Amino acid sequence: MFMIVLKSILLMMFILISVAFVTLLERKILGYMQKRKGPNKLGFKGILQPFSDAVKLLVKESLLLNLVNLMIYLLSPVVILLISLFLWVTYPSFLGGLEVSLPIIFILCCLSAGVYPILGSGWSSNSKYSMLGSLRAVAQTISYEVSLAILLLSLVVVNSSFSLKKLFSDSMLIILILFPIAILWLISALAETNRTPFDFAEGESELVSGFNTEYSASGFVLFFLAEYSSILFMSLFFSVLFLGSVDLFLNLSFLTSMLVILFIWVRGTLPRLRYDKLMELAWKIMLPLSLMYLLLFTGVSLMIYIFSV
């Protein structure tokens, strides 16, 4: 029991520290892409900047509006951060302790549950901008979650297992076959984490800041941590599913870091899509392709099974 508690605390600490440095990495990369330096004053080359930002936001006074639904307003940021942290217990570690028997099903459940705190935060804020942002986020997440789930089911069919441990040994053998699925999955992951070019939930040009418009100080920090924790997890999950990363070795850290940089690179390169184009991409392109791959892999697996018996 003590080891499980210790592992949980260490896991949470390391995730939050990683998130802090990912924000610094993003600001640095975007700065150099725009021909400027980014944060470089606080500490060596600006390395203490994320901690300074965290302290500044956490010690600020939180503003509570008169017309908010207080309970849901306060609970939404906490719940969304907890859901994004729960995702990390699915990763099979040789340290043992926190183990989930069907990790892919658990991940899909957590991703689906992440819709509710976003909707709750927008509705409880009693602001038209927050409400529009939360409705956009829910519609977008549900649309791309369908494709994400079907693509994951394709991998389950190929590997004949819901376990991530089996994917470690098999993924390198079929990486060329799964390359188109990897591209589709990466696009779905960008939409799932509300990142550019799919960041309609936080469209600054039309919605001020989207579903977190009325949040400040610690509430805003929790939303921020949840978003970047999800980006880190999606990068790690992608490297496990498609790049054959092995448990806690250096190649896992390297590939996860490269995928995080890809997320940032996409943000600095692509403009925001139009909302109808986003939905068209989800339902008219991503969903048919995902279903096609699921049917293809199911048929091939059945043929192999029939001829091997």
Side-chain angles (χ1 to χ4, degrees):
M1 184 66 188
F2 172 74
M3 286 301 294
I4 293 174
V5 173
L6 180 64
K7 184 182 174 184
S8 306
I9 294 169
L10 287 174
L11 183 65
M12 193 177 299
M13 281 174 52
F14 287 134
I15 291 166
L16 296 178
I17 291 168
S18 302
V19 164
F21 285 112
V22 167
T23 61
L24 178 65
L25 178 69
E26 179 171 41
R27 292 174 69 181
K28 282 283 191 184
I29 290 173
L30 291 176
Y32 282 109
M33 289 180 81
Q34 297 159 5
K35 292 189 178 179
R36 55 186 176 83
K37 287 287 186 186
N40 65 345
K41 298 294 183 189
L42 200 64
F44 178 72
K45 299 291 185 182
I47 201 165
L48 297 178
Q49 185 68 46
F51 302 105
S52 170
D53 292 340
V55 170
K56 179 196 74 174
L57 284 165
L58 290 171
V59 299
K60 281 178 69 176
E61 181 183 2
S62 292
L63 297 174
L64 291 177
L65 307 176
N66 291 329
L67 298 176
V68 298
N69 190 318
L70 193 62
M71 181 66 74
I72 299 174
Y73 179 83
L74 295 176
L75 277 178
S76 294
V78 178
V79 171
I80 196 168
L81 179 61
L82 285 175
I83 289 170
S84 68
L85 291 175
F86 277 146
L87 285 168
W88 289 86
V89 304
T90 58
Y91 186 71
S93 167
F94 67 86
L95 298 172
L98 297 165
E99 294 294 336
V100 178
S101 58
L102 296 172
I104 290 178
I105 299 295
F106 184 80
I107 288 165
L108 288 174
C109 291
C110 285
L111 292 175
S112 302
V115 166
Y116 296 105
I118 292 176
L119 185 60
S121 66
W123 175 78
S124 63
S125 296
N126 202 20
S127 159
K128 60 182 178 184
Y129 294 123
S130 301
M131 191 63 192
L132 281 170
S134 62
L135 290 174
R136 279 183 172 195
V138 170
Q140 175 180 323
T141 306
I142 289 171
S143 299
Y144 281 89
E145 220 163 72
V146 175
S147 301
L148 197 75
I150 291 171
L151 291 170
L152 283 175
L153 284 175
S154 303
L155 292 174
V156 168
V157 167
V158 169
N159 290 284
S160 305
S161 171
F162 281 101
S163 171
L164 289 179
K165 288 180 180 176
K166 191 170 189 309
L167 293 176
F168 284 150
S169 57
D170 290 358
S171 56
M172 281 304 286
L173 301 174
I174 52 177
I175 191 166
L176 292 175
I177 304 170
L178 296 182
F179 181 72
I181 288 188
I183 300 299
L184 291 172
W185 199 91
L186 193 59
I187 295 169
S188 297
L190 281 168
E192 190 73 27
T193 51
N194 290 322
R195 294 290 289 180
T196 306
F198 307 111
D199 56 339
F200 294 94
E202 302 169 9
E204 301 88 3
S205 55
E206 61 262 10
L207 295 180
V208 185
S209 182
F211 63 90
N212 57 13
T213 300
E214 306 299 343
Y215 284 90
S216 61
S218 53
F220 177 78
V221 169
L222 296 181
F223 276 119
F224 198 72
L225 290 173
E227 180 184 340
Y228 281 84
S229 171
S230 298
I231 290 167
L232 268 173
F233 178 78
M234 285 295 187
S235 301
L236 178 134
F237 197 36
F238 184 92
S239 61
V240 168
L241 291 177
F242 300 107
L243 301 176
S245 300
V246 188
D247 186 8
L248 293 179
F249 281 104
L250 277 176
N251 71 329
L252 176 66
S253 304
F254 175 74
L255 291 170
T256 304
S257 304
M258 289 298 104
L259 283 159
V260 169
I261 290 170
L262 180 63
F263 271 78
I264 298 167
W265 187 10
V266 168
R267 178 180 178 182
T269 308
L270 298 178
R272 189 178 293 135
L273 288 175
R274 224 171 59 204
Y275 197 75
D276 59 323
K277 297 287 185 186
L278 168 90
M279 288 301 171
E280 192 174 312
L281 177 67
W283 295 107
K284 292 186 178 179
I285 298 172
M286 300 281 291
L287 184 60
L289 285 173
S290 306
L291 285 168
M292 183 191 75
Y293 272 105
L294 177 62
L295 291 172
L296 173 66
F297 287 140
T298 305
V300 170
S301 298
L302 279 172
M303 292 286 285
I304 293 170
Y305 177 75
I306 289 167
F307 285 112
S308 62
V309 172

